Amino acid sequence: KAGVTQTPRYLIKTRGQQVTLSCSPISGHRSVSWYQQTPGQGLQFLFEYFSETQRNKGNFPGRFSGRQFSNSRSEMNVSTLELGDSALYLCASSLQGADGYTFGSGTRLTVV
Amino acid sequence: QKEVEQNSGPLSVPEGAIASLNCTYSDRGSQSFFWYRQYSGKSPELIMSIYSNGDKEDGRFTAQLNKASQYVSLLIRDSQPSDSATYLCAVPSGAGSYQLTFGKGTKLSVIP
């Protein structure tokens, strides 16, 4: 079966711009989580959605937002980009959220 | 702040040996535990989940959980060079939470 699909794979943006990343979960999975991965901080939780509702949110500024659609696809948005937002952004899906997550290939965001 | 601690490594073992990876967590209420493997430049891949005290075996992998001591470990028997990767321990942030807290990971090198 198809895995978790993230688009785009790579992005280069300028400081101050905004960006939208997309994630299509495994068919039937209703829980979608987003993580930021950097060499210094490791994997850090951004937010988790289930049936279009945000159930958990990590300690990130309000510039980071997300949403989930009725077909479980999810998007995350980062506004007013900063150099420190350069990272690998990973989306992961799960049937319900308590049974482990399958990660997508990620979107590598570079802010210049 | 829920914490998950791992030795960063690198951990080097010869081919055919047993690799032992350890993880401690701070939340006594944690009920589920996950091990992910991440190859360089790739996204994390779920390799083991464990929910009860004791051992769980899957092929060459064995996860061990000791809730009283708050540690979970991963043993890799007959280590192969293809096992060389970073291994991440993940624990839900609180009972019923869908937010995973990851350790920084242990980098394993299997020497032929």
Side-chain angles (χ1 to χ4, degrees):
Chain A
K1 61 182 179 182
V4 179
T5 303
Q6 290 189 248
T7 56
R9 289 295 308 276
Y10 302 94
L11 267 178
I12 299 176
K13 290 287 188 178
T14 304
R15 274 182 299 173
Q17 287 187 314
Q18 74 167 21
V19 66
T20 299
L21 312 181
S22 180
C23 171
S24 293
I26 291 173
S27 178
H29 284 191
R30 296 166 66 188
S31 171
V32 174
S33 289
W34 289 88
Y35 289 83
Q36 180 195 67
Q37 187 173 33
T38 58
Q41 298 298 318
L43 272 160
Q44 293 191 288
F45 174 79
L46 281 156
F47 23 67
E48 187 263 353
Y49 289 88
F50 183 85
S51 293
E52 302 179 68
T53 299
Q54 185 182 90
R55 293 195 295 193
N56 290 101
K57 188 177 191 304
N59 294 323
F60 278 82
R63 301 185 297 107
F64 292 81
S65 63
R67 59 178 175 169
Q68 186 181 35
F69 302 96
S70 58
N71 60 0
S72 294
R73 192 177 68 84
S74 178
E75 288 181 347
M76 69 163 281
N77 184 79
V78 188
S79 62
T80 319
L81 284 166
E82 301 176 359
L83 294 179
D85 297 333
S86 294
L88 179 65
Y89 289 89
L90 291 159
C91 168
S93 75
S94 171
L95 274 172
Q96 296 186 26
D99 48 343
Y101 283 88
T102 300
F103 281 86
S105 298
T107 294
R108 172 76 61 185
L109 172 65
T110 301
V111 183
V112 297
Chain B
Q1 179 74 15
K2 306 297 189 291
E3 293 184 353
V4 177
E5 300 287 341
Q6 295 180 254
N7 290 327
S8 60
L11 173 66
S12 294
V13 299
E15 184 175 356
I18 296 176
S20 179
L21 305 162
N22 298 313
C23 170
T24 59
Y25 58 94
S26 62
D27 184 6
R28 283 194 169 275
S30 297
Q31 297 295 318
S32 52
F33 306 85
F34 305 96
W35 281 100
Y36 285 82
R37 176 178 62 199
Q38 187 171 26
Y39 292 113
S40 180
K42 302 293 186 181
S43 59
E45 172 193 8
L46 179 63
I47 54 172
M48 289 288 284
S49 58
I50 186 166
Y51 305 94
S52 305
N53 273 334
D55 295 359
K56 178 182 178 182
E57 188 174 316
D58 184 0
R60 296 187 295 111
F61 297 96
T62 299
Q64 298 176 318
L65 175 59
N66 184 322
K67 290 185 179 180
S69 300
Q70 294 177 246
Y71 83 77
V72 56
S73 61
L74 179 70
L75 301 179
I76 306 175
R77 291 183 301 281
D78 189 25
S79 295
Q80 301 297 308
S82 59
D83 295 326
S84 298
T86 296
Y87 289 81
L88 300 160
C89 173
V91 180
S93 296
S97 172
Y98 306 102
Q99 169 182 339
L100 290 180
T101 297
F102 282 82
K104 293 287 180 68
T106 298
K107 186 171 184 177
L108 172 67
S109 292
V110 180
I111 311 302

